[in-house]
């Protein structure tokens, strides 16, 4: 059985929000866990990541 672990001390607030958003996205899709694709989709939607990719083209 899984147990809750406090990860707030090792991640930045922005990282915690991204993880929470990935979990919410997965839950909306009926999944009990977020997978890398959920995280990647959210990362690619961030303005700072979009800017990096825009500068590469």
């Amino acid at each position: 059985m899984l147990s809750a672990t406090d990860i707030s001390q090792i991640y930045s607030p922005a990282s915690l929000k991204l993880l929470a958003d990935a979990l919410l996205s997965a839950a909306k899709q009926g999944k009990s866990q977020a997978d890398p694709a959920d995280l990647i989709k959210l990362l690619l939607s961030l303005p700072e990541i979009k800017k990096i990719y825009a500068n590469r083209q």
Side-chain angles (χ1 to χ4, degrees):
M1 173 176 255
L2 295 176
S3 61
T5 302
D6 182 7
I7 62 170
S8 64
Q9 300 300 315
I10 58 174
Y11 289 100
S12 70
S15 297
L16 289 170
K17 181 178 180 343
L18 188 65
L19 290 170
D21 289 348
L23 288 170
L24 286 172
S25 176
K28 287 178 183 178
Q29 298 172 56
K31 300 187 293 187
S32 61
Q33 294 182 13
D35 57 29
D38 296 309
L39 193 55
I40 290 168
K41 281 188 232 174
L42 288 169
L43 283 169
L44 291 174
S45 72
L46 295 174
E48 52 270 37
I49 301 297
K50 286 181 180 180
K51 184 178 177 182
I52 291 169
Y53 278 99
N55 291 337
R56 295 183 61 138
Q57 296 178 355

